[in-house]
Amino acid sequence: MRPVMQTLQRPIVYRSAIALYVIMMLGLITASVAIGNRDVRSALYLTGSPTWNTPRPYAVRALYFDAATGTRLAPDHFEIQWSAPDSPPLATAEAGPGHYLHIQLPPYERLAPEHNDDAIDALAPGAGADAATKTRDICALARRQTVPDLRDCWTIELREPPRTPSDALQQAIGPSTSRDPDQDERRPALTDEDPSSQLAIQIGPADGELVRGLPDTLWLRVLERSTGQPLRAHLDITLERGLTQAPLPTSLTTDTLGLASLPVHATTELTLKVKARPYAPTDPPTSASYTLRLPTVAAQFAVSLPRPFTVAGVPVEGSVNTILTDAPFMTDLFEGPSMIAANAFGSANGSGGFTLPTPESQNPGPLARVQVYQSFFGAGDAWDIAHLLILKDDAPETLRETTALLLNHLHTTHPDERWDAYLDLLSPPHSPSVDTAGRIAPLIAFALSRLPRDFQSPQPLLNTREEDRRELEAWKDDLQRDLYYMMIVVLLVGLLIVAYFALLGLRRLRREKALLAEIDLELDGPLTDNSDARLEDLVTLFQAFIVFATIALFGLGIILVVSYL
């Protein structure tokens, strides 16, 4: 035992112990700092619809970016797949302008059997009420050479297709969405100044809302008050209050369906006086006077379509005006709550265009909605929409039947608006006033403008940065807790080392005192008195206390600092 103690008392031993102690403490501090600074390297933000109408395509929009800096990245490969391991891709996409990723999956019913298992049978008509909806997990996979692969999944609800075109139309119309925080304080958009007149006027949209600072269109309809029959009429228009960037027409003439469109480029809320009088000199001399109060909203975008219908499989094209200069914008095609197509387009000098594919289907639509907005992460109040009909073919009879379907819905929900007069014109044998697409188009546009303004922002389906950061923080908390315990153990070991060497010093001191005592006996006289010895012991104990306290405070300080990293 004595040789071991002698070895431990060598200077090289305690110097080595101190060096190892310092290295261990520095290693723990470095590990804790490295773990504390670790962050998610890449992230994926994906939006779309949580539901999939199985006979229709399914579209999503995604953005792949550096999770630490927010810099947008273009993945080397991006695909959508089922959640099963090693599932083949359902669709792939490449990053476009702005590094946006757009994917359109084919209709669920057209996917190969190995993709969809037996889900189609469960959703088939007559499968039972409990099979009306079914959920599936679907995943996005992004690969980039410089970062680990990113794969995450979300749950999608597969919905049973509507049984009739009428059901499909009703499901495609959502609740009205407001772009004006002060909408509840608005006055009525249309005020009848002469309720006893034989003529009546309606406007579309019903609330008269216009996009501030951008070209827009207001539809007007003139009809007989008692029968609802459309009338050709002269419209005299007077601007009583408000500002426009372009002069308003002072007069319009309605067509044989009693319809006319008023181009408006408003910069403030407008108050118009509209007076209607018969077009034909042989008509009874009567007139109607209305006051129009047209509110404006800062929607930043105004979308317009060249015609309010298209044929299934034919892309829908349109134009967009915006107050933003050279700003890209998102464009979606929705059928009810389901996004069936999406893309991003650019604008120049305040205008741009878009093209979106429409589904090829035996039983399309019949109603879809184009949405335009700027922010991928949330549209806010800066958006605009346009409804359109999707026809199964380009036959004139198909156009009349689909138009009648829309008008019948409006007549059912708003019988006081007298849509039955138009339904009579469309019934076989149809009236010559609705025998061509050009003559029916204004009626469709006016009818669509009376539908609710049902904008629906694509919902966030994946936000891997937030999810991964929560998981990473939980992992770091567990690991750093273990590191703190190890630091405490190392600190205690350091205190034991100091205590050991302090005891060695005290032992050496006592041995020296014993030698001095023997010398005192031999010389018959003490070299030191007891008071000096006691004072020296107190000083030694005080020095030891300072050393222990300093080490303890140093260790606790390190733990405290590391805990905030």
Side-chain angles (χ1 to χ4, degrees), residues 217-546:
T217 300
L218 181 74
W219 283 94
L220 298 104
R221 174 193 180 191
V222 180
L223 65 155
E224 287 186 1
R225 190 183 299 271
S226 58
T227 64
Q229 291 297 319
L231 291 175
R232 294 205 70 184
H234 286 296
L235 297 175
D236 298 321
I237 302 170
T238 304
L239 176 61
E240 293 190 338
R241 185 177 181 181
L243 299 174
T244 62
Q245 293 190 19
L248 283 176
T250 57
S251 64
L252 293 174
T253 301
T254 63
D255 60 13
T256 56
L257 297 178
L259 301 173
S261 61
L262 175 66
V264 185
H265 197 160
T267 55
T268 65
E269 179 178 332
L270 303 180
T271 301
L272 307 181
K273 183 73 72 174
V274 178
K275 185 176 182 180
R277 48 191 173 84
Y279 175 78
T282 58
D283 290 339
T286 184
S287 64
S289 181
Y290 281 77
T291 298
L292 277 61
R293 296 180 179 87
L294 308 178
T296 60
V297 292
Q300 300 184 8
F301 293 93
V303 58
S304 60
L305 304 177
R307 60 179 189 172
F309 59 88
T310 189
V311 178
V314 177
V316 55
E317 299 180 350
S319 60
V320 174
N321 290 295
T322 175
I323 63 173
L324 306 175
T325 304
D326 301 332
F329 56 89
M330 309 290 120
T331 307
D332 308 330
L333 185 63
F334 268 76
E335 185 177 311
S338 299
M339 188 166 73
I340 59 178
N343 213 325
F345 301 90
S347 64
N349 300 321
S351 63
F354 63 86
T355 301
L356 292 175
T358 59
E360 297 180 1
S361 175
Q362 297 296 326
N363 297 302
L367 180 68
R369 179 179 73 251
V370 175
Q371 302 187 160
V372 175
Y373 52 97
Q374 183 187 30
S375 177
F376 171 66
F377 298 98
D381 295 331
W383 52 266
D384 196 24
I385 69 164
H387 292 98
L388 75 155
L389 298 180
I390 300 182
L391 314 176
K392 62 181 180 181
D393 55 51
D394 57 358
E397 190 60 34
T398 301
L399 178 60
R400 284 189 287 270
E401 291 176 356
T402 309
T403 304
L405 188 68
L406 171 63
L407 298 181
N408 187 65
H409 169 79
L410 291 171
H411 179 64
T412 302
T413 55
H414 303 284
D416 56 323
E417 295 180 1
R418 307 306 302 267
W419 297 98
D420 52 337
Y422 290 127
L423 289 171
D424 293 339
L425 298 177
L426 292 167
S427 300
H430 62 270
S431 168
S433 60
V434 292
D435 60 352
T436 65
R439 293 179 177 179
I440 301 177
L443 174 58
I444 298 174
F446 174 72
L448 293 174
S449 72
R450 300 285 295 189
L451 293 176
R453 193 179 291 106
D454 52 347
F455 174 83
Q456 182 174 340
S457 182
Q459 299 184 31
L461 302 176
L462 288 180
N463 185 358
T464 63
R465 179 167 66 174
E466 300 304 322
E467 297 173 2
D468 291 348
R469 278 183 171 173
R470 284 193 294 268
E471 295 177 359
L472 180 62
E473 289 300 323
W475 175 80
K476 290 195 297 186
D477 290 343
D478 293 339
L479 193 57
Q480 286 191 330
R481 187 182 303 111
D482 296 338
L483 290 176
Y484 297 155
Y485 293 152
M486 292 181 65
M487 287 183 184
I488 293 174
V489 172
V490 171
L491 177 62
L492 294 176
V493 171
L495 293 176
L496 291 176
I497 293 174
V498 173
Y500 170 73
F501 288 119
L503 291 175
L504 287 180
L506 291 175
R507 183 178 179 183
R508 187 180 299 110
L509 180 61
R510 290 178 180 178
R511 186 179 300 169
E512 291 175 354
K513 287 183 178 181
L515 292 175
L516 290 175
E518 293 177 359
I519 294 173
D520 287 344
L521 292 175
E522 293 177 358
L523 297 176
D524 296 328
L527 296 178
T528 59
D529 57 15
N530 292 333
S531 61
D532 292 338
R534 287 194 298 270
L535 180 61
E536 186 176 352
D537 290 341
L538 290 175
V539 171
T540 302
L541 292 175
F542 184 68
Q543 290 176 341
F545 172 77
I546 292 176

Side-chain angles (χ1 to χ4, degrees), residues 83-105:
S83 59
D86 301 324
S87 295
L90 301 175
T92 61
E94 295 182 357
H99 295 301
Y100 291 111
L101 295 153
H102 295 90
I103 280 190
Q104 185 185 50
L105 303 183

Side-chain angles (χ1 to χ4, degrees), residues 179-201:
R179 297 179 289 186
D180 185 3
D182 301 324
Q183 185 174 13
D184 295 338
E185 301 177 3
R186 290 180 180 176
R187 292 181 292 177
L190 191 65
T191 302
D192 189 353
E193 304 293 348
D194 187 9
S196 62
S197 172
Q198 299 179 14
L199 304 182
I201 295 178

